[in-house]
Amino acid sequence: MEAGSRAITLSLMAETTPLYQIRLAVRSELEDIAAGDSVLVAASGGADSSALAAALLLECRSKSIKVIALIIDHGLQKNSADVTHETKRTLTKIGYENIEIRRVTVEITDGLEASARRARYQALSDVANSHNAVAIFLGHTRDDQAETVLLGLSRGSGSRSLSGMAARVDRYRRPLLAITRAQTEAACEEAGIKFWQDPHNQSMEFTRVRVREVVLPTMEKEIGPGISDALARSAKLLRDDADALDSLSDEIFSGLEPASLDISKLESQPRAIRTRILRRAIYLAGAPQGSLSAEHIEPVEALITAWKGQGAISLPGGVTVARISGRLSLSKSSGQE
């Protein structure tokens, strides 16, 4: 038995260890997955994904679930291939038999972080489809959640953005949202796993890193400890609220014509419902998903609540919204993708 596997096995004898706590978090996300099914785990070589991969392998073995580890090489650093192969060796040591490596091309269109994330999720989806995986596991922690909430707050986003990352979205599952980064690092140490420190995670060039290294520590110092936990709790509460509002707006939207919205029906709705309906209609008209900000929605909202004869509103993706004869008419310019 390899040293890494022996360390993991021994750690299970103590139910209060960091690795066991992570295993418990993973276990709850496997309850609806049947023996014989396949799942995918994103493995970057960092502490979070390595701790998740170790716990997931143990849980899947006990339930006869096949787990595949996917290592994505973004090719953004000179030693990315070395990191990829070292991550594969580490996964092999802890017992993984099914490991895939996928090199992706990052086309930077809206910032390095967003572009890399888009390429990563496309690779995850493609590999999951090739294995008929019923779930894709991601290693986002409570610290990541807190950072996401603060980033949403800095953009002046609504409750959906401030609600952070969901524990589940379609096939994607994030079992570690109540686990701290310190716990994942301790779990790796406990299991004898050597994890990689991504230089991008220390570069102040990125807003998220500045939030992690400067903003959150300053808040902890000046306001008091427990800020990350409080932000994560707030995100959960806001997600519950956002889910309820989305459900109500979906029900109303089902009775409307998406390309020709009846203004009289929109006027009677609370703003929180109305703006959700507008976003959904604009995306259906062809705006790229995630492209709409509050600044885009505000003038469209004004066509309903502050009508003074304004002209048509131009939106991302070539979508145009105009008020015509008591209705909001949504159209997409030809030639726009």
Side-chain angles (χ1 to χ4, degrees):
M1 181 183 295
E2 295 288 345
S5 297
R6 183 166 58 254
I8 292 175
T9 302
L10 291 174
S11 73
L12 299 180
M13 299 171 61
E15 297 189 1
T16 59
T17 65
L19 184 58
Y20 192 77
Q21 293 303 310
I22 293 172
R23 185 177 177 181
L24 289 179
V26 167
R27 184 179 300 172
S28 66
E29 288 297 328
L30 290 172
E31 290 178 351
D32 61 338
I33 298 178
D37 282 342
S38 295
V39 300
L40 187 70
V41 60
S44 68
D48 301 339
S49 69
S50 296
L52 171 61
L56 186 62
L57 181 63
L58 290 166
E59 288 298 313
C60 286
R61 278 177 172 172
S62 68
K63 298 177 182 294
S64 298
I65 296 170
K66 180 181 178 181
V67 57
I68 302 107
L70 173 61
I71 307 167
I72 298 175
D73 180 0
H74 297 84
L76 297 175
Q77 298 172 11
K78 292 181 179 179
N79 67 333
S80 64
D82 294 336
V83 172
T84 295
H85 292 299
E86 182 59 35
T87 301
K88 182 177 181 180
R89 283 193 289 270
T90 298
L91 291 169
T92 301
K93 285 182 179 180
I94 66 174
Y96 270 84
E97 297 177 354
N98 301 291
I99 304 170
E100 286 206 20
I101 296 174
R102 180 67 62 94
R103 177 73 179 258
V104 299
T105 300
V106 179
E107 297 181 6
I108 302 177
T109 57
D110 51 347
L112 179 60
E113 290 177 285
S115 299
R117 184 184 307 113
R118 185 165 48 251
R120 180 165 60 252
Y121 275 81
Q122 184 60 58
L124 284 165
S125 180
D126 290 345
V127 174
N129 288 340
S130 70
H131 288 278
N132 294 316
V134 298
I136 302 171
F137 284 81
L138 305 174
H140 297 114
T141 65
R142 191 185 74 185
D143 301 82
D144 295 312
Q145 185 75 299
E147 293 159 13
T148 300
V149 173
L150 282 180
L151 288 169
L153 184 62
S154 71
R155 291 191 294 266
S157 303
S159 60
R160 175 54 68 190
S161 180
L162 294 178
S163 64
M165 296 175 285
R168 288 192 186 189
V169 178
D170 299 324
R171 285 185 294 180
Y172 293 96
R173 304 191 181 195
R174 299 181 175 93
L176 306 188
L177 290 181
I179 299 292
T180 67
R181 189 168 294 126
Q183 285 177 289
T184 64
E185 291 179 355
C188 287
E189 183 178 352
E190 172 192 340
I193 296 173
K194 183 180 179 181
F195 59 88
W196 179 59
Q197 295 278 10
D198 187 346
H200 283 167
N201 289 337
Q202 280 80 47
S203 174
M204 292 298 178
E205 173 187 355
F206 301 107
T207 305
R208 181 176 286 273
V209 175
R210 295 195 295 273
V211 169
R212 177 183 307 149
E213 299 295 333
V214 179
V215 178
L216 276 170
T218 300
M219 292 177 70
E220 293 273 353
K221 177 183 176 182
E222 301 297 334
I223 301 176
I227 292 298
S228 292
D229 187 42
L231 287 170
R233 289 199 308 272
S234 295
K236 187 176 186 304
L237 293 171
L238 284 168
R239 181 163 294 278
D240 290 341
D241 292 347
D243 287 345
L245 289 170
D246 285 351
S247 179
L248 288 171
S249 63
D250 287 348
E251 184 177 343
I252 295 167
F253 188 85
S254 65
L256 300 174
E257 297 179 42
S260 183
L261 298 168
D262 187 335
I263 289 175
S264 65
K265 293 183 179 179
L266 294 176
E267 285 177 320
S268 63
Q269 299 300 325
R271 179 183 171 87
I273 298 293
R274 186 168 56 244
T275 55
R276 281 170 164 76
I277 292 172
L278 292 176
R279 284 178 182 274
R280 183 167 177 182
I282 294 167
Y283 283 132
L284 280 177
Q289 285 296 321
S291 64
L292 298 177
S293 66
E295 287 73 21
H296 291 123
I297 298 300
E298 201 67 40
V300 180
E301 165 81 0
L303 293 177
I304 302 168
T305 60
W307 171 243
K308 297 178 182 178
Q310 303 97 302
I313 309 298
S314 296
L315 297 168
V319 174
T320 299
V321 183
R323 177 165 173 154
I324 303 173
S325 301
R327 305 184 80 87
L328 283 188
S329 175
L330 291 85
S331 59
K332 183 176 174 67
S333 301
S334 60
Q336 291 284 342
E337 296 297 332

